[in-house]
Amino acid sequence: MAKVAFIGLGVMGFPMAGHLKTKGGHDVTVYNRTAEKAAAWVDTFSGKSAPTPAEAADGCDFVFVCVGNDDDLRQVTSGEKGVLSTMKRGSVLIDNTTASAEVARELYEAAKAKSVDFIDAPVSGGQAGAENGVLTVMCGGDEAVFEKAKPVIDAYARMVGLMGPAGSGQLTKMMNQICIAGVVQGLAEAVHFGKRAGLDIEKVVDVISKGAAGSWQMENRHKTMNQGKYDFGFAVDWMRKDLGIVLTEARRNGAKLPLTALVDQFYGDIQALGGNRWDTSSLLARLEK
Ligand code: NAP
């Protein structure tokens, strides 16, 4: 059993911190900016909470963070009451936020300066993956530190991989989002075309999903897309944040991402339609308006 802190009890962090306590059997202290969520977590999991990130992290072996973006991450780690102000020598900071590779490298160095280790560990699998403890975790950092952290991360994951040095987890997540952007746009166009052609979408998907056109998005999203239901899932605002990170990195490394850049603009159209919190499969909505 390890002494663990978890900072950020959002859609993802709340259940992930729960798995660290129930499945992992660790001694978990949580922090959340909005105190009501921390109180709800303490009620649900009979755990403990602290009033600041620094106090939650004090004396812990592992400190997990899952907040919104780079700035939020800097605030709860290197900020005045951030976790790095109290983390002990030899402890490990694990960041589950989807953030830039740049902030991951920056935190790796800031942690090292305090004899603390850092792993960037963004996740995929969505709310359901977090609730069922079956996330995919893409890690960047030192191998010995990864080996130490993996058994703890396993509490909320089905697949945990070390992809390379600090920042590599975030770069892997960027590849993941590039794949999703293109696949969802392709699926949206196919469903749009099928409807115009008078085809029975359910029947078509039943057949073509078994062949080369099949994908997770097709399996899990065709039904709701066909019904025009988008009030669930992975929010367009989050996807735009992620694609922004991707496009900035691509400008840095020279990668050409014409389709990703276009789909990012399409998501801008969805935001203009009021779909900020709609699922990413809502790309179909702009074709049908
Ligand atoms: P969320 O429900 O909006 O939760 C965000 C959490 O971060 C909340 O606990 C929030 O506190 C906290 N936070 C934000 N800014 C903060 C700050 N400046 N200081 C302190 N706390 C702060 O988001 P989520 O869906 O859990 O996503 C978290 C991360 O995982 C994001 O980077 C997202 O891109 C990534 N992710 C999400 C999914 C998904 O399906 N949702 C899938 C994969 C990856 P409050 O409660 O006070 O607002």
Side-chain angles (χ1 to χ4, degrees):
M1 185 183 75
K3 204 165 177 298
V4 170
F6 203 106
I7 314 300
L9 303 172
V11 167
M12 302 298 283
F14 193 101
M16 288 162 77
H19 288 304
L20 285 165
K21 176 135 198 325
T22 53
K23 229 159 100 189
H26 300 296
D27 174 9
V28 182
T29 304
V30 297
Y31 163 81
N32 196 70
R33 181 178 57 183
T34 307
E36 289 78 14
K37 276 193 215 165
W41 189 92
V42 168
D43 271 358
T44 310
F45 297 104
S46 315
K48 291 176 286 185
S49 72
T52 64
E55 285 163 271
D58 199 1
C60 284
D61 307 302
F62 297 91
V63 175
F64 290 81
V65 176
C66 189
V67 291
N69 58 31
D70 284 20
D71 288 343
D72 304 329
L73 180 56
R74 286 193 181 98
Q75 229 169 354
V76 299
T77 53
S78 328
E80 201 195 328
K81 288 174 182 160
V83 297
L84 282 172
S85 65
T86 52
M87 284 182 72
K88 64 180 185 188
R89 290 173 77 87
S91 61
V92 186
L93 174 57
I94 299 161
D95 175 37
N96 297 125
T97 310
T98 302
S100 66
E102 196 183 350
V103 77
R105 292 182 201 114
E106 178 188 309
L107 285 177
Y108 176 89
E109 294 302 335
K112 271 277 178 292
K114 295 185 178 248
S115 302
V116 169
D117 291 307
F118 176 81
I119 301 269
D120 49 299
V123 300
S124 93
Q127 182 172 356
E131 285 170 357
N132 297 320
V134 293
L135 291 168
T136 295
V137 189
M138 300 153 262
C139 299
D142 300 337
E143 192 157 357
V145 180
F146 172 76
E147 293 304 333
K148 197 159 93 171
K150 187 182 174 296
V152 186
I153 297 173
D154 277 340
Y156 59 76
R158 181 163 57 193
M159 177 73 197
V160 188
L162 178 65
M163 313 312 297
S168 304
Q170 296 297 354
L171 293 170
T172 302
K173 172 79 182 182
M174 291 176 213
M175 247 185 96
N176 188 78
Q177 300 309 74
I178 294 167
C179 291
I180 291 174
V183 168
V184 175
Q185 178 61 18
L187 179 60
E189 290 186 17
V191 173
H192 175 59
F193 174 88
K195 283 168 110 176
R196 286 288 168 108
L199 288 168
D200 178 336
I201 301 298
E202 291 288 325
K203 228 173 174 174
V204 172
V205 167
D206 202 35
V207 171
I208 69 171
S209 63
K210 312 296 183 299
S215 67
W216 185 97
Q217 298 291 339
M218 183 179 281
E219 262 323 288
N220 293 281
R221 293 290 185 262
H222 78 274
K223 233 181 219 132
T224 39
M225 287 169 86
N226 195 26
Q227 296 162 346
K229 277 195 191 156
Y230 304 117
D231 56 343
F232 68 98
F234 185 58
V236 165
D237 278 354
W238 280 140
M239 187 58 161
R240 277 218 96 188
K241 178 204 69 164
D242 293 1
L243 295 180
I245 292 170
V246 167
L247 294 169
T248 303
E249 187 66 35
R251 274 192 289 276
R252 189 173 298 134
N253 70 18
K256 300 179 190 77
L257 305 179
L259 182 58
T260 308
L262 195 59
V263 175
D264 178 52
Q265 288 176 36
F266 293 166
Y267 280 122
D269 296 344
I270 300 294
Q271 288 173 317
L273 288 175
N276 300 62
R277 302 297 299 180
W278 292 353
D279 183 63
T280 43
S281 56
S282 57
L283 282 176
L284 177 59
R286 61 178 286 287
L287 301 175
E288 294 193 327
K289 77 171 171 49

